[in-house]
Amino acid sequence: MRTGKAYLECLPREKSWELWQNKLMSAGYFTDLPTETLPVEQALGRVTAGCNYAKQSVPHYNGSAMDGIAVRAQDTFGATETTPMHLKLLKSHEPFVPGGCYIIDTGDLMPAETNSVIMIEDVHIENASAEIIAAAAPWQHVRIIGEDIVANEMVLPEHQVIRPADIAALLSAGLETVEVVAKPKVTVIPTGTELVARSHDLKPGAILDVNSHMLCAAVTQWGGDAIRHEIVPDNYEQIKQAVIASLATSDMVITNAGTSAGTEDFTSRIFAELGEVLVHGVAIKPGKPVILAFCQGKPVIGLPGYPVSAMLTAELFVKDVLYERQRLPIPAAQQVPAVLARQLSSHVGVEEFVRVSVGTIQGKTVAAPLSRGAGIISSLIKAQGVLVVSERSTGLPAGAMVQINMLNRQQSETVLAVGSHDLALDILGVFLNRQAGKLLSAANVGSMGGIMAVRNNEAHIAGIHMLDDKTGEYNIPFVNKYLTKGNWQLVRLARREQGLMVLPGNPKNIKTLEELGREDITYVNRQRGSGTRMLLDHLVPRTGLRVEHITGYEKEVSTHMAVAATITAGAADTGLGIRAAATALGLEFIPISHECYDILLNFPPGDITAETIITILQTPAFRQEVERLGGYDLAEAGTVLLKM
C-alpha cells in the first residue's frame, strides 16, 4: 500500500510528458487506428483515414461556360465586323449540320459535333439565323471533362480534416461515403462521496459535480466521444469496478478526484493494481497530484478534484493525446509579448501556470494575473491567456516583459510548394503530414516560376525539370544561373518518363513527335516556363518541324493531369506529359524521353523540415508508393545535388 508521501517527489512536466508519450507510442496507441465510414455530408471536421480518389471527373461532361450559341469553331472562321457570318439555328433535337448552331445556356451539355460557344452578347438572332461578327476559337467558353478534377486523381489525402469545401469536392468526384478516423471514446468518472449530481441536492458539505461535465465538454471539443459515468462514491471496490467496466468500452478513462494522499484517495492504488502507474505527481501548480497510468492497453488518467487543477492537467496530458489519436493537427498556442501588471511571486522547483486577463492600454499590451486558487472557476472563464512561470523563478516584478500563451489557437504549419507539377508531390505531402504534421500546399506555375519563387523567398519547395540546350544537363545550370545567396539546396526526387499521351487504341496512329505536324492532329501544351514545354521546344526542331506547324501549340494547361484530361475529353489528340498521368486516366503512352525531376528546398537555418523531406525521399515506403504510379525511377531520391 502507498503511503501519504506517494506524490511528494514530483517529476518535472517535460519528463512526465516524455514518459507518458513514450509509453503510448510504444504500445501502438497512435497507430492502426480504428475507422468508420460516414456519408460525406456528415463528415465535416472528421479526419480522413486514407487517401480519397475521384470516381468521376469534374465536370463529367463537356458543358457550356456561358449563355450563347454552340458552334463548330471551323464553321466560324472568316467572320468579321465587315463580313458577318450567318449560322442556321437548329432545334435541340435536330442533328448537327455544317454551318449550324444551337442556343445554349450555362452548364448545358455541348451538342454533338460542336466545340465552341459564342456569348449571347456577341450574337444577333433573327428568325432562324444567328449573325456573328468574329470567329470562335476551338473550345472557347467550354468547360471540358476534368477541367476541375480528373477521375482517379487524389481529391483528399489521408489524415486531412474535412472542411465544407472538401465535402463539395468529394461529392462532385462521385464519392458518397468517406472513411474517417474514429473518434476516441473517453469515459469520465467523477468520484467522491461528497458529490451530488444536481443543485437541489446541495447541502452543507456536499459538492456539485461540475468537473465531469467540464471535462466531457473538453473531450468533445478536442474531437473525442465523451461518456460521463455516474458519480462513484469513495469506495475502493466500486471505483475499481467502474474503471474496469469503462476500460472495456472506451479508448481512454479519466477519473476525477481521489488522486492525492488522503485516507479515501484510492485512485493510484487501483491503477497500480490494474496496470502500471507511470507518474504520480508532477511539479506544476495547480495540478500537482495528477496520475498518468496505463491499464489493459489503454491510457488511464487521474485528475485532481479542484476545477482549475482538473482543467489544466487535462489540457497538459489529455488534449494532445486525443489530437494525435485522431491525426488532428495539434493547435499551437499564439504567444504575445505583454507587460505584467503587478508583481507575481512563485516557488522555486514548481512550474506555475497563471491565468491572466490581457488588454491593450494606450498601445501597450498588459497582462493582469487572475486569482490563482485551484478551485477558482471564475479564473477559467475570465482568462484570455496563460503565463507560465519557470520552476527556476521566485517570481516576476511588476512591469516585467512576459510571453503570454493566448487561449485562441493557430492553424498547423503549411509548407508551400511552387513550381512544376508532379504526382509525386501529392505523395510527398502525405508522408510529410504523417511524419511531421505539416500540410503541403502546391501551386503549379512551372519550373521557372518555382526557381523565381525560391529566389524571392516565396516558396519552401520548388519542383523543377529544366533541360539546358547547351550542356544537355537537367536543372543544375538553371539553379546556378538564377540562385546565388540563400539557404536552398537542390535534391533529386526522381527520374521519370516523358512521352505523348493518346486515347486507348491510338486512333490517330501517332508514333513520333514528327507526326505533330499532321493537319489532322491537335495538341495540348503545357504553360510557358514549364519543364515539359521547354523539353518540347528542345526536341521539336530536331524533327525538322517548327512549333508553328503544331495545331494547338498555343493551348496551355498547367499540370500533367490536365493534359491527360484534355485528351480524355476529346479536346486534343495528344500532349506531352509523364507516364503516371497517362496511367491514371487509362491513356496509352508513347515514350519520348527520360528526365530528372528535382526539388529545391528553401528552409531557414535550424528548421529540420528540409532534413525530414530528404529522409522521406530515401525511405523504401515513399519510393515504392511513387514508383507504383508508373514511369518513375527513385534510385537517386534524396541525393543532395547542390547546396548553398
Side-chain angles (χ1 to χ4, degrees):
M1 179 178 292
R2 292 179 180 267
T3 69
K5 297 182 179 180
Y7 68 94
L8 295 184
E9 294 183 6
C10 298
L11 293 176
R13 176 175 57 88
E14 293 86 351
K15 180 63 176 178
S16 301
W17 175 255
E18 181 182 350
L19 290 171
W20 183 230
Q21 185 80 346
N22 288 346
K23 180 64 179 181
L24 297 181
M25 291 180 66
S26 65
Y29 191 70
F30 302 123
T31 58
D32 299 325
L33 301 178
T35 65
E36 61 178 316
T37 300
L38 295 178
V40 168
E41 57 270 22
Q42 297 178 19
L44 180 66
R46 301 299 294 274
V47 178
T48 55
C51 299
N52 293 266
Y53 295 89
K55 289 185 177 180
Q56 64 188 28
S57 293
V58 182
H60 62 279
Y61 63 91
N62 294 333
S64 175
M66 296 285 179
D67 295 338
I69 59 171
V71 301
R72 189 170 66 174
Q74 53 265 47
D75 292 343
T76 70
F77 295 164
T80 66
E81 290 188 6
T82 56
T83 58
M85 182 177 292
H86 293 82
L87 302 176
K88 180 182 179 182
L89 277 178
L90 302 172
K91 303 292 186 182
S92 59
H93 63 275
E94 293 181 312
F96 179 81
V97 296
C101 66
Y102 300 90
I103 292 178
I104 196 168
D105 294 328
T106 301
D108 284 352
L109 174 68
M110 291 291 292
E113 305 296 327
T114 64
N115 64 355
S116 188
V117 173
I118 301 175
M119 292 189 298
I120 195 66
E121 297 92 328
D122 298 330
V123 179
H124 177 66
I125 296 177
E126 186 174 349
N127 297 326
S129 176
E131 182 185 73
I132 61 173
I133 58 174
W139 303 103
Q140 76 174 18
H141 305 316
V142 177
R143 293 195 69 204
I144 62 173
I145 295 173
E147 178 182 87
D148 188 358
I149 298 172
V150 181
N152 298 318
E153 183 178 12
M154 187 187 296
V155 182
L156 291 183
E158 68 174 0
H159 302 156
Q160 174 161 316
V161 181
I162 298 175
R163 304 159 298 180
D166 298 329
I167 290 176
L170 290 169
L171 292 172
S172 296
L175 299 167
E176 296 181 353
T177 61
V178 59
E179 188 179 13
V180 298
V181 177
K183 291 186 175 186
K185 290 182 171 60
V186 182
T187 295
V188 176
I189 306 174
T191 69
T193 304
E194 73 280 8
L195 293 183
V196 296
R198 294 176 176 83
S199 58
H200 62 71
D201 294 326
L202 277 175
K203 57 184 179 181
I207 298 174
L208 185 64
D209 171 35
V210 296
N211 285 0
S212 66
H213 297 283
M214 174 182 68
L215 293 170
C216 283
V219 166
T220 301
Q221 186 179 51
W222 300 331
D225 182 5
I227 304 165
R228 180 184 174 273
H229 195 284
E230 63 183 11
I231 296 171
V232 181
D234 290 319
N235 178 282
Y236 188 95
E237 195 59 34
Q238 286 183 263
I239 296 174
K240 176 183 171 182
Q241 292 306 316
V243 173
I244 292 173
S246 298
L247 283 169
T249 58
S250 299
D251 302 302
M252 174 188 286
V253 176
I254 297 173
T255 64
N256 185 222
T259 63
S260 191
T263 57
E264 294 184 336
D265 291 330
F266 305 124
T267 307
S268 180
R269 290 166 49 201
I270 291 170
F271 289 178
E273 183 180 343
L274 297 177
E276 177 186 5
V277 174
L278 305 169
V279 175
H280 187 189
V282 181
I284 56 175
K285 182 181 179 180
K288 184 169 70 169
V290 64
I291 304 171
L292 306 178
F294 198 75
C295 304
Q296 300 179 10
K298 297 174 182 179
V300 182
I301 307 100
L303 301 182
Y306 284 120
V308 179
S309 299
M311 192 64 203
L312 174 64
T313 48
E315 290 171 338
L316 293 177
F317 298 109
V318 175
K319 175 176 66 68
D320 287 1
V321 171
L322 293 183
Y323 276 111
E324 288 189 50
R325 173 79 175 181
Q326 300 168 84
R327 291 292 193 272
L328 285 167
I330 297 175
Q334 177 189 5
Q335 286 197 332
V336 299
V339 174
L340 193 61
R342 60 179 175 84
Q343 180 181 349
L344 195 65
S345 61
S346 190
H347 297 284
V348 173
V350 177
E351 184 182 27
E352 187 166 6
F353 293 77
V354 181
R355 294 181 184 263
V356 296
S357 291
V358 180
T360 301
I361 303 172
Q362 298 184 13
K364 181 174 63 177
T365 302
V366 177
L370 297 168
S371 298
R372 296 156 72 183
I376 307 298
I377 294 178
S378 61
S379 70
L380 294 174
I381 62 175
K382 292 179 181 178
Q384 286 85 48
V386 176
L387 168 62
V388 182
V389 183
S390 169
E391 68 275 10
R392 296 183 297 273
S393 174
T394 59
L396 298 166
M401 183 61 68
V402 294
Q403 291 292 326
I404 303 299
N405 294 323
M406 302 300 292
L407 294 177
N408 59 323
R409 307 298 183 185
Q410 294 178 322
Q411 293 182 346
S412 60
E413 184 178 350
T414 298
V415 174
L416 181 60
V418 177
S420 176
H421 168 257
D422 190 273
L423 300 177
L425 285 179
D426 290 335
I427 296 175
L428 175 60
V430 171
F431 277 76
L432 187 60
N433 181 264
R434 186 183 298 170
Q435 296 192 18
K438 296 178 184 289
L439 175 66
L440 181 66
S441 177
N444 305 313
V445 299
S447 296
M448 184 56 69
I451 288 181
M452 293 298 102
V454 168
R455 187 172 76 171
N456 297 331
N457 284 319
E458 297 172 347
H460 296 109
I461 299 175
I464 60 174
H465 59 115
M466 303 173 73
L467 176 63
D468 181 50
D469 271 331
K470 295 180 181 179
T471 65
E473 189 176 21
Y474 269 95
N475 301 326
I476 292 177
F478 295 91
V479 172
N480 284 330
K481 178 178 179 180
Y482 291 104
L483 298 181
T484 52
K485 300 178 181 179
N487 298 299
W488 56 265
Q489 50 188 320
L490 182 67
V491 179
R492 174 64 39 82
L493 196 157
R495 294 183 182 273
R496 63 185 191 180
E497 283 185 282
Q498 285 266 23
L500 293 172
M501 294 182 270
V502 296
L503 289 171
N506 194 2
K508 292 293 181 74
N509 196 29
I510 300 169
K511 297 180 180 179
T512 64
L513 282 176
E514 287 87 341
E515 293 175 86
L516 298 183
R518 284 166 40 187
E519 292 184 358
D520 65 328
I521 292 177
T522 58
Y523 184 81
V524 56
N525 211 349
R526 289 292 305 280
Q527 78 275 30
R528 295 181 185 276
S530 68
T532 302
R533 176 71 163 263
M534 296 172 70
L535 176 63
L536 179 73
D537 292 346
H538 170 76
L539 294 177
V540 164
R542 287 166 166 71
T543 68
L545 289 176
R546 295 204 308 263
V547 295
E548 295 85 4
H549 298 153
I550 301 175
T551 303
Y553 178 85
E554 297 80 9
K555 180 176 178 58
E556 300 179 355
V557 295
S558 61
T559 68
H560 296 286
M561 290 295 281
V563 172
T566 302
I567 296 165
T568 302
D573 298 311
T574 188
L576 195 62
I578 58 174
R579 180 184 289 274
T583 300
L585 291 192
L587 298 175
E588 291 191 17
F589 185 80
I590 303 162
I592 297 294
S593 174
H594 285 80
E595 65 176 10
C596 298
Y597 182 87
D598 301 326
I599 54 176
L600 280 163
L601 302 181
N602 180 36
F603 293 92
D607 189 329
I608 65 170
T609 306
E611 180 181 339
T612 301
I613 290 172
I614 291 172
T615 300
I616 289 172
L617 298 181
Q618 295 171 344
T619 60
F622 174 79
R623 294 181 175 188
Q624 292 168 10
E625 188 79 8
V626 174
E627 288 176 344
R628 220 177 354 246
L629 297 173
Y632 288 94
D633 178 2
L634 272 76
E636 299 173 279
T639 302
V640 178
L641 307 174
L642 287 175
K643 188 173 184 180
M644 175 57 69

